[in-house]
Amino acid sequence: MMPPALIFNCHYNGLSIIQELGRHDVPVYALDTFRSVGTASRYAQYWPCPDPLCDEEAFIHFLIERGCDFDHKPVLFPTNDQWAAAIAKHKSELERWYIPCVADGSVVDLLISKDRFYRWAMKRGYLVPRLYSFEEVLNADGNIFPLIAKPIARRSSNLCADHPDICRLLDSHRMTVIHDTSEFHQFITRHASYLDYFLFQEYIPGMADRMYTVGIYANRQHEVLGLFTGRKVRGYPPDIGNCVVGQGERVPDEIIVCVKEMVRDLGYTGIAEFEFKKDLSTGKFWLIEINPRSWSWIGITPACGVSLPWIAYADLTGAEAIQYTESPIEDGEVVYLKVLEDFSNCMYLYRKNGYPDYHRGISLWLKDLKGKKRIFAEFSKDDPSVALYVLSSLGKSYLLSTIRSAMKSE
């Protein structure tokens, strides 16, 4: 009997891990606060659980209560910041019953706290955008602009316990480009009560399609055993949005060297995503952030010859001897997409919401995918219940939208 795996937050990120481990005959449990897409997979049993974003103590108590239910220690896979932070914080306690696929608490806390991470990285000479204090921006001349304001930490455990409104605010201001002094004063006036939650940073020009991912798994000795490289092709919105279409793509060798050095420098263990942005004007690769857990399109990695979910599971449980693996595919050879979302964006939403350059007709949209190996997030032959769930949710959403529109017109 293979040790089970518990996946936390089962949106497409979690779904990809559920399916990949299920295909390796690993017993999988999908844990979430509601019936998200991954809970519909035939490869997992759904367990509703408390949300550490609101009640970290209840979430950890939930895990401890069920720790004795298994014959073998399950592997814990957090797929969002608040889950990673909660498990990392209680890692030593949870290791009595589980094998957490997460770095130590101090490391996760450093990476989630963006202001602390940028100072750490700048001190060590890593190429990250410059961080500005509030006073530096307030007293600066116009040469400092444009810059960006973004949350110090969008999703840390217990964030909503005392501030139920803060998560919505931070999610809606993932990155605000500030072009001049006037816009800066407008921003600080509008968000005067929440300025402690934001940082100000040098702006690296370019849209989301300039974002590159280096995804890794590092073992307990902080050695990288699996490494994937790719690029975000389309997001929504196209400047700062989550990945809707991503493809395998190479990055310069020095970026891979930098990632491995940072893994050792941090003392990192587990799955992580290093996000780089290629400067539109200079071509430099700037490190934007490190996500201390899996990322939204990790589902591309098995098709690229470097299945990070399986590499992590096999190494942590001893199910298989793991040798270093790096994705060998050519640029654009493998494409991952949320096909229904991308179709809707390209046919309608990009143009409607002010991004006409990203609009695609059906023939051009299909041409973009021609001749490539495509991984459809919603559709897989061996897991049809996921497609049924997505189509049902889409139908319900359309029906509710139609009802609201009809009520407004009365």
Side-chain angles (χ1 to χ4, degrees):
M1 185 66 178
M2 301 182 77
L6 274 58
I7 317 300
F8 303 94
N9 179 45
C10 300
H11 199 48
Y12 286 104
N13 183 346
L15 170 66
S16 296
I17 300 176
I18 289 167
Q19 290 175 329
E20 179 62 6
L21 296 183
R23 289 165 184 149
H24 283 84
D25 297 320
V26 176
V28 180
Y29 294 84
L31 279 70
D32 214 330
T33 57
F34 60 95
R35 291 300 302 237
S36 53
V37 63
T39 67
S41 173
R42 76 176 184 88
Y43 288 113
Q45 179 180 333
Y46 172 50
W47 278 7
C49 69
D51 188 347
L53 194 64
C54 304
D55 195 340
E56 177 189 297
E57 184 178 350
F59 169 63
I60 297 301
H61 182 69
F62 172 90
L63 289 179
I64 291 173
E65 272 197 327
R66 285 152 183 79
C68 297
D69 294 347
F70 303 98
D71 294 328
H72 303 279
K73 285 185 177 183
V75 183
L76 305 181
F77 285 91
T79 70
N80 216 332
D81 285 355
Q82 70 264 31
W83 308 90
I87 293 171
K89 181 178 177 181
H90 299 272
K91 185 176 178 180
S92 59
E93 181 181 8
L94 291 170
E95 283 177 329
R96 177 179 173 185
W97 298 280
Y98 301 100
I99 305 172
C101 182
V102 71
D104 291 342
S106 59
V107 177
V108 172
D109 185 58
L110 173 67
L111 298 180
I112 288 177
S113 304
K114 304 303 182 188
D115 56 341
R116 290 179 54 219
F117 167 68
Y118 288 124
R119 284 194 288 269
W120 178 91
M122 286 189 294
K123 183 178 180 181
R124 285 159 177 77
Y126 294 113
L127 192 61
V128 295
R130 180 179 171 182
L131 194 64
Y132 296 104
S133 69
F134 177 81
E135 290 74 20
E136 283 179 307
V137 182
L138 196 62
N139 299 317
D141 57 29
N143 294 331
I144 201 173
F145 298 99
L147 54 78
I148 62 171
K150 70 180 184 181
I152 290 173
R154 273 201 307 132
R155 291 183 170 271
S156 55
S157 56
N158 275 341
L159 181 61
C160 286
D162 300 318
H163 304 281
D165 60 329
I166 193 65
C167 291
R168 288 189 296 274
L169 173 72
L170 297 180
D171 277 344
S172 64
H173 291 81
R174 295 176 59 179
M175 187 183 85
T176 303
V177 181
I178 299 174
H179 296 91
D180 52 39
T181 303
S182 174
E183 288 188 8
F184 175 69
H185 284 286
Q186 290 173 24
F187 182 89
I188 63 176
T189 300
R190 188 164 58 249
H191 303 297
S193 300
Y194 299 102
L195 288 180
D196 287 345
Y197 291 94
F198 287 93
L199 59 81
F200 300 98
Q201 188 181 40
E202 175 185 5
Y203 174 61
I204 307 302
M207 301 292 271
D209 59 359
R210 309 288 293 184
M211 295 297 297
Y212 288 75
T213 283
V214 180
I216 62 99
Y217 167 74
N219 66 12
R220 295 178 178 95
Q221 290 73 46
H222 321 307
E223 300 167 331
V224 175
L225 295 186
L227 187 143
F228 160 82
T229 63
R231 179 176 65 87
K232 186 187 297 186
V233 177
R234 284 194 289 272
Y236 189 83
D239 51 352
I240 59 170
N242 287 331
C243 182
V244 180
V245 181
Q247 68 180 29
E249 192 160 325
R250 298 182 184 277
V251 300
D253 290 343
E254 58 264 28
I255 299 301
I256 294 175
V257 171
C258 172
V259 166
K260 292 178 179 179
E261 181 182 340
M262 291 192 80
V263 167
R264 291 189 296 270
D265 205 359
L266 287 163
Y268 194 87
T269 298
I271 293 173
E273 180 197 25
F274 290 69
E275 279 199 297
F276 292 85
K277 189 171 186 180
K278 188 177 181 180
D279 192 314
L280 186 63
S281 54
T282 67
K284 279 186 180 180
F285 281 77
W286 296 81
L287 178 62
I288 301 302
E289 64 181 355
I290 303 174
N291 291 312
R293 34 79 181 174
S294 58
W295 68 100
S296 64
W297 51 296
I298 193 174
I300 195 175
T301 64
C304 295
V306 55
S307 173
L308 292 181
W310 174 249
I311 289 171
Y313 175 90
D315 178 64
L316 290 169
T317 63
E320 182 181 302
I322 299 297
Q323 302 296 322
Y324 174 74
T325 306
E326 187 175 312
S327 51
I329 53 94
E330 297 299 323
D331 293 358
E333 183 181 338
V334 182
V335 176
Y336 172 93
L337 72 158
K338 299 169 186 170
V339 62
L340 296 177
E341 186 177 343
D342 187 52
F343 183 80
S344 175
N345 293 342
C346 290
M347 299 300 121
Y348 175 63
L349 289 178
Y350 284 136
R351 185 161 58 184
K352 176 191 174 187
N353 293 315
Y355 303 101
D357 292 346
Y358 288 82
H359 173 75
R360 296 283 192 279
I362 291 178
S363 59
L364 185 55
W365 182 75
L366 291 172
K367 185 180 179 181
D368 282 349
L369 304 175
K370 189 175 180 181
K372 299 174 181 178
K373 183 173 184 179
R374 290 161 288 183
I375 310 301
F376 297 130
E378 309 97 322
F379 303 103
S380 55
K381 292 180 181 178
D382 63 339
D383 204 3
S385 57
V386 170
L388 293 175
Y389 173 91
V390 173
L391 292 170
S392 173
S393 298
L394 190 65
K396 290 176 184 176
S397 177
Y398 178 77
L399 179 61
L400 287 173
S401 177
T402 302
I403 292 171
R404 290 192 190 101
S405 297
M407 291 176 65
K408 286 180 181 179
S409 64
E410 288 181 358

